[in-house]
Amino acid sequence: MIHDISIEKILEEHKKHPLALIDVRSPKEYQEATIPGSINIPIFNNEERAEVGTLYKQAGSEVAKQRGLEIFSAKLPAFIEQFKALDSDMAVFCWRGGMRSKTAATVLDLMGIQVSRLKGGYRSYRKWIVNHLDQAPIHPDLFVLNGYTGSGKTTILHKLEALGEPVIDLEGMAGHRGSIFGHIGLKPANQKTFDALLFEKLTAYQQKSHIFIEGESKRIGKVVLPDAFFHQKETGKQLFIELPISERVNNILEDYHPWDAPEAFMEAFSLIKKHIHTPVAKEVETHLIHERYPEAIELLLKYYYDPRYEHSISHYTDDQKIIITARNADDAVEKIMDMVKKHQV
């Protein structure tokens, strides 16, 4: 017997015991956005889905269903074997809890494989995530790592995480480093994937006393921070990491490897060139042309990024600010951990 199950019930059951979530949509749909941790066992591949969809529009639902049945019938043995290999309770879903998940659940039930079906499909999950991020309070305090560009905030976050601290790497989830050069060498995430990952992290940390995040603007690459989360970030404790400029230049070189993509860096620089005093901009451009990256980066920090950063943080109150002056990332982590101990007392 097939059981329809709500997303709330699935998430509740998942806390008690492992539940395999099976996305039966096409690989392309799965790659664009899915429920984190789900497995893709598609009824149709990308081309087959396009074919059935075209038939539906041009010849009607009955013709499309007949062709879909022909395609799926040939795949049944392999499809069923993939489910048999999963040693856990299972729930299947498609886009909106329609024909694909119903077909999969019916076939599996006939073969004696017990599965549930997500009511409303991925669309219900997406709606639930958006509502939760907009309305649900974040119980832990947010410690927000700020600092001039190149202060190693992401490195510091990862070092804190390695020490067992609760961390949410917003840039990592967004697939973007948050600057004009931030997309280089990374694959940007879409909003659906970002929201799902953020929700998963927030849920995992709800019983913690605090969470470390990096200070970000409202938009990171292609994604936008949810309003409620952004507000809590803005009102949280703001840790300001201060490192020597030479250390910041080295951090940027290690993060970006400009020598691997010189054309991309020159293209990105062209987008901000007009915002920099002309003699300085020409000097930066000359350094980039001759691949003198340390010199170019130091000028960009002094004349572009640092002034913009100082303006962006001017609205924070003194009560929010905690200054962490350090020699390097390791020294900053040590001082942050001392701050955490005092906070917990």
Side-chain angles (χ1 to χ4, degrees):
M1 182 176 177
I2 303 167
H3 296 281
D4 280 356
I5 184 169
S6 68
I7 186 60
E8 294 89 349
K9 188 68 174 176
I10 280 181
L11 295 173
E12 181 183 330
E13 290 294 319
H14 199 55
K15 292 178 183 177
K16 300 175 184 177
H17 54 81
L19 177 68
L21 297 174
I22 316 299
D23 188 339
V24 298
R25 298 176 302 158
S26 67
K28 182 180 178 182
E29 292 171 285
Y30 175 78
Q31 288 163 8
E32 286 175 351
T34 191
I35 301 175
S38 65
I39 302 165
N40 188 211
I41 305 180
I43 286 181
F44 302 131
N45 63 29
N46 298 332
E47 293 75 19
E48 292 163 349
R49 174 178 174 252
E51 179 188 349
V52 172
T54 300
L55 281 174
Y56 183 87
K57 292 176 183 177
Q58 296 179 352
S61 62
E62 289 305 316
V63 175
K65 286 178 183 178
Q66 182 61 38
R67 178 55 182 148
L69 184 60
E70 291 172 3
I71 294 170
F72 186 46
S73 296
K75 298 180 172 187
L76 274 177
F79 184 81
I80 291 166
E81 284 303 312
Q82 289 182 79
F83 280 87
K84 284 183 176 179
L86 298 173
D87 185 22
S88 67
D89 293 338
M90 293 176 279
V92 297
F93 66 94
C94 58
W95 166 237
R96 55 184 178 185
M99 185 61 68
R100 284 182 288 179
S101 61
K102 183 178 181 180
T103 300
T106 300
V107 167
L108 292 166
D109 183 60
L110 289 172
M111 296 302 297
I113 301 173
Q114 186 103 36
V115 296
S116 300
R117 186 168 70 124
L118 173 57
K119 187 177 180 180
Y122 174 79
R123 189 168 66 171
S124 69
Y125 168 79
R126 171 65 181 158
K127 183 178 179 181
W128 192 87
I129 288 291
V130 170
N131 289 340
H132 184 88
L133 290 174
D134 281 345
Q135 300 171 12
I138 302 168
H139 298 297
D141 294 332
L142 291 185
F143 286 155
V144 187
L145 297 189
N146 298 276
Y148 290 112
T149 301
S151 295
K153 300 181 290 292
T154 302
T155 298
I156 291 168
L157 276 183
H158 292 168
K159 288 177 180 291
L160 289 168
E161 189 171 30
L163 292 173
E165 289 295 310
V167 163
I168 299 180
D169 182 1
L170 298 172
E171 290 185 354
M173 295 191 304
H176 198 282
R177 299 187 188 92
S179 73
I180 194 67
F181 301 98
H183 64 287
I184 297 173
L186 298 176
K187 182 181 178 181
N190 59 38
Q191 191 69 48
K192 293 176 182 177
T193 298
F194 178 82
D195 287 346
L197 294 173
L198 178 59
F199 165 76
E200 191 175 41
K201 281 287 189 181
L202 289 173
T203 301
Y205 292 149
Q206 279 303 292
Q207 304 307 315
K208 299 291 186 180
S209 64
H210 61 271
I211 302 172
F212 284 105
I213 64 171
E214 187 172 342
E216 300 289 351
S217 60
K218 179 76 170 173
R219 176 176 290 277
I220 312 172
K222 293 184 176 181
V223 306
V224 177
L225 295 180
D227 289 340
F229 182 80
F230 183 74
H231 174 74
Q232 191 148 348
K233 178 197 83 76
E234 288 292 277
T235 56
K237 283 292 184 183
Q238 308 294 322
L239 280 58
F240 290 91
I241 313 300
E242 295 185 350
L243 299 185
I245 193 166
S246 58
E247 186 69 17
R248 292 163 55 204
V249 170
N250 288 334
N251 287 339
I252 291 171
L253 289 172
E254 289 179 14
D255 284 346
Y256 288 88
H257 292 180
W259 46 85
D260 291 337
E263 298 85 1
F265 269 78
M266 186 62 78
E267 182 181 349
F269 170 68
S270 68
L271 299 176
I272 62 173
K273 182 179 177 180
K274 63 183 179 181
H275 301 295
I276 304 172
H277 189 46
T278 300
V280 175
K282 288 183 177 179
E283 193 174 353
V284 171
E285 189 170 36
T286 299
H287 287 317
L288 289 174
I289 290 171
H290 293 91
E291 300 189 8
R292 296 192 292 262
Y293 296 115
E295 293 86 346
I297 290 169
E298 184 166 343
L299 287 173
L300 284 170
L301 291 177
K302 287 181 178 179
Y303 294 99
Y304 181 74
Y305 284 106
D306 289 4
R308 290 169 68 88
Y309 177 74
E310 287 163 2
H311 174 74
S312 70
I313 65 171
S314 59
H315 65 284
Y316 292 122
T317 66
D318 290 340
D319 289 341
Q320 287 181 275
K321 297 178 182 178
I322 300 174
I323 307 299
I324 306 289
T325 303
R327 301 184 304 277
N328 50 42
D330 288 329
D331 188 33
V333 169
E334 186 176 333
K335 291 178 177 178
I336 290 170
M337 290 303 296
D338 288 340
M339 182 275 301
V340 169
K341 291 174 185 175
K342 292 177 183 177
H343 177 77
Q344 292 174 336
V345 172

